[in-house]
Amino acid sequence: MHDQSPADPADPSRPPGPTLFDWEFATDPYPAYAWLREHAPVHRTRLPSGVEAWLVTRYADARQALADQRLSKNPAHHAGPAHAKGKTGIPGERKAELMTHLLNIDPPDHTRLRRLVSKAFTPRRVAEFAPRVQELTDHLIGRFEGRGEADLIHEFAFPLPIYAICEMLGVPREDQDDFRDWAGMMIRHGGGPRGGVARSVKQMRAYLGELIHRKRDDLGNDLISDLIRASDHGDHLTEAEATAMAFILLFAGFETTVNLIGNGVHSLFMNPEQRERLQASLAAGESGLLETGVEELLRYDGPVELATWRYATRPLTLGGQAIAVGDPVLVVLAAADRDPERFAEPDTLDLSRSDNQHLGYGHGIHYCLGAPLARLEGQTALGTLLKRLPDLELAVPPTDLRWRGGLIMRGLRTLPVRFTPRND
């Protein structure tokens, strides 16, 4: 069941709004979001799952909602029936007992967990990891550059963040292909066998629990060891919390980067003059345009379309609409980041855009902990790809590309490319 925005009773002559969440919408949601921003900026809708929620589409409202303490991350505050609550989080996390992570909790528990995890996941640790991200990037490109063709999602954008976060977490290399299989099932969103997502989440949870147990006796220089070590005035992560945190770092850390790379390359294909600017800058040995460019790609067609679920714990007004206790609220980052009230020429890709406080990594206390790693992976992947395969081009008409289903993330199923083979 898909939502059609209603006609305005105060203005019956105005046509009803666009259909949301169908196949055409997934291909290019931005015209529909522009309509909502203008006519129904905080809009109650029935989602394809049957759950009713408010969509927030203007930048100012989105920023307010992301930082509003009355909007809880805890699914226990959802007023809907119990069966609907199972449709509002990461698939399979509830059955696998993985709910105690940063995306699902509020202060003071959130404050405690984030403080402990931040001790392990530092910008310095990410910076130290940069040479390994470059090695992984070069290795993956090296596997297909002699062929002259590739699917950039399956052969590059997908394995790179999986192997990177596995290595950061301390998953032994001989086990990393299992993670790749589980992660692949998780991002198919119903495209795989029935129950496959929940089964993969359960297998990943069991593996991470066992790995944490093993590492307690043999701590190393990795993120899981740091999570085990993390303590603050006698406070520490329980084994269940450490498992849930390792899971969410992996889950949130790979699909977003898959889509950042895939959507980013796609946006450059669709804006060849911007791509030429970037390639000229890279050829000159500069990094500034790559850095601002990745931020602009996050704003223009970012990997996270809607922020994760929030639930009103008290009545509040948002964009002139009264939100009742228990109502789910979804902040549409993709719509807010194209708001002309905040960004000049928002539908134009400008890699040198300097005033770019996009919401791609969120805002407030739930601002993405992994943003430094995502930036590193995005810059390394796109910069290396464009330098090593300068004549990279789309191998199919743009209209043949298909976008994955799912509510929160925005990403391509495949991205077939061709280029002059390199065998040096």
Side-chain angles (χ1 to χ4, degrees):
M1 179 175 184
H2 303 307
D3 172 65
Q4 178 124 16
S5 302
D8 184 351
D11 181 9
S13 64
R14 194 183 79 198
T19 299
L20 306 177
F21 307 117
D22 65 359
W23 174 81
E24 284 183 54
F25 169 86
T27 301
D28 181 11
Y30 295 102
Y33 288 148
W35 189 95
L36 286 175
R37 269 196 317 268
E38 185 176 350
H39 300 293
V42 178
H43 172 61
R44 189 174 175 92
T45 188
R46 183 181 294 276
L47 303 170
S49 64
V51 176
E52 290 200 0
W54 293 94
L55 301 180
V56 180
T57 53
R58 286 183 183 165
Y59 184 90
D61 295 334
R63 240 176 106 90
Q64 178 196 329
L66 291 172
D68 197 317
Q69 299 286 303
R70 295 169 295 179
L71 291 173
S72 167
K73 299 289 288 171
N74 188 339
H77 291 295
H78 184 192
H83 74 271
K85 292 183 185 183
K87 298 177 180 177
T88 60
I90 295 168
E93 66 177 355
R94 191 178 299 271
K95 286 184 181 173
E97 298 175 355
L98 282 167
M99 300 294 285
T100 51
H101 57 67
L102 291 177
L103 294 184
N104 277 347
I105 55 173
D106 306 314
D109 286 338
H110 177 272
T111 312
R112 178 182 73 88
L113 279 185
R114 180 147 183 142
R115 186 175 63 237
L116 291 171
V117 175
S118 296
K119 289 186 165 193
F121 202 71
T122 61
R124 180 180 162 191
R125 174 177 278 285
V126 171
E128 288 170 353
F129 197 57
R132 184 60 185 143
V133 172
Q134 185 65 61
E135 275 179 33
L136 286 167
T137 301
D138 288 331
H139 171 70
L140 290 168
I141 294 174
R143 284 163 62 169
F144 59 74
E145 67 179 348
R147 290 207 319 263
E149 61 178 21
D151 174 3
L152 277 190
I153 300 297
H154 292 280
E155 296 182 71
F156 184 61
F158 176 68
L160 174 61
I162 282 286
Y163 292 139
I165 197 71
C166 276
E167 295 212 4
M168 280 196 89
L169 285 167
V171 175
R173 290 194 185 178
E174 62 269 21
D175 296 340
Q176 290 179 8
D177 283 335
D178 287 338
F179 266 81
R180 184 177 171 163
D181 292 344
W182 295 331
M185 182 61 71
M186 286 161 66
I187 70 168
R188 281 186 211 155
H189 296 310
R194 186 175 175 81
V197 175
R199 191 159 51 248
S200 294
V201 170
K202 203 169 181 179
Q203 288 170 316
M204 197 179 279
R205 186 224 182 280
Y207 176 86
L208 287 169
E210 186 187 318
L211 184 63
I212 287 168
H213 199 65
R214 288 207 312 265
K215 282 186 182 288
R216 282 193 185 281
D217 301 322
D218 185 22
L219 294 175
N221 182 31
D222 57 70
L223 203 49
I224 285 181
S225 296
D226 282 357
L227 288 175
I228 294 166
R229 285 190 197 100
S231 62
D232 193 17
H233 304 301
D235 203 1
H236 66 280
L237 291 165
T238 66
E239 199 155 296
E241 287 170 341
T243 303
M245 283 311 313
F247 168 77
I248 202 60
L249 286 171
L250 187 124
F251 183 85
F254 88 86
E255 191 172 2
T256 49
T257 309
V258 176
N259 296 346
L260 168 58
I261 297 168
N263 298 7
V265 172
H266 176 261
S267 293
L268 293 173
F269 282 153
M270 298 299 105
N271 295 270
E273 71 297 332
Q274 291 294 309
R275 176 199 170 161
E276 285 165 22
R277 282 180 69 198
L278 181 54
Q279 285 185 292
S281 169
L282 292 167
E286 300 163 358
S287 62
L289 192 62
L290 179 62
E291 290 168 11
T292 58
V294 166
E295 299 308 306
E296 174 68 347
L297 292 167
L298 279 159
R299 181 200 70 81
Y300 180 76
D301 195 13
V304 185
E305 191 166 341
L306 284 75
T308 49
W309 296 79
R310 284 166 167 76
Y311 311 91
T313 57
R314 301 207 296 276
L316 68 143
T317 301
L318 198 54
Q321 293 286 354
I323 312 292
V325 172
D327 279 359
V329 173
L330 289 165
V331 177
V332 188
L333 305 178
D337 279 343
R338 295 261 192 129
D339 188 343
E341 293 289 313
R342 176 59 187 82
F343 299 100
E345 298 186 55
D347 296 320
T348 298
L349 181 71
D350 175 8
L351 297 182
S352 58
R353 190 184 293 270
S354 55
D355 177 18
N356 196 0
Q357 286 187 293
H358 63 76
L359 299 176
Y361 292 127
H363 172 65
I365 63 167
H366 290 283
Y367 183 82
C368 176
L369 195 66
L373 179 60
R375 286 191 169 102
L376 168 65
E377 290 176 338
Q379 290 172 18
T380 305
L382 292 170
T384 307
L385 201 60
L386 292 174
K387 281 189 282 190
R388 286 183 60 171
L389 305 175
D391 63 347
L392 189 72
E393 64 178 11
L394 197 54
V396 298
T399 50
D400 285 1
L401 295 174
R402 293 290 174 266
W403 296 81
R404 277 202 306 272
L407 194 64
I408 303 298
M409 301 290 185
R410 172 165 171 77
L412 288 159
R413 291 177 185 269
T414 60
L415 186 55
V417 296
R418 58 183 170 230
F419 45 88
T420 302
R422 284 179 42 146
N423 296 299
D424 46 48

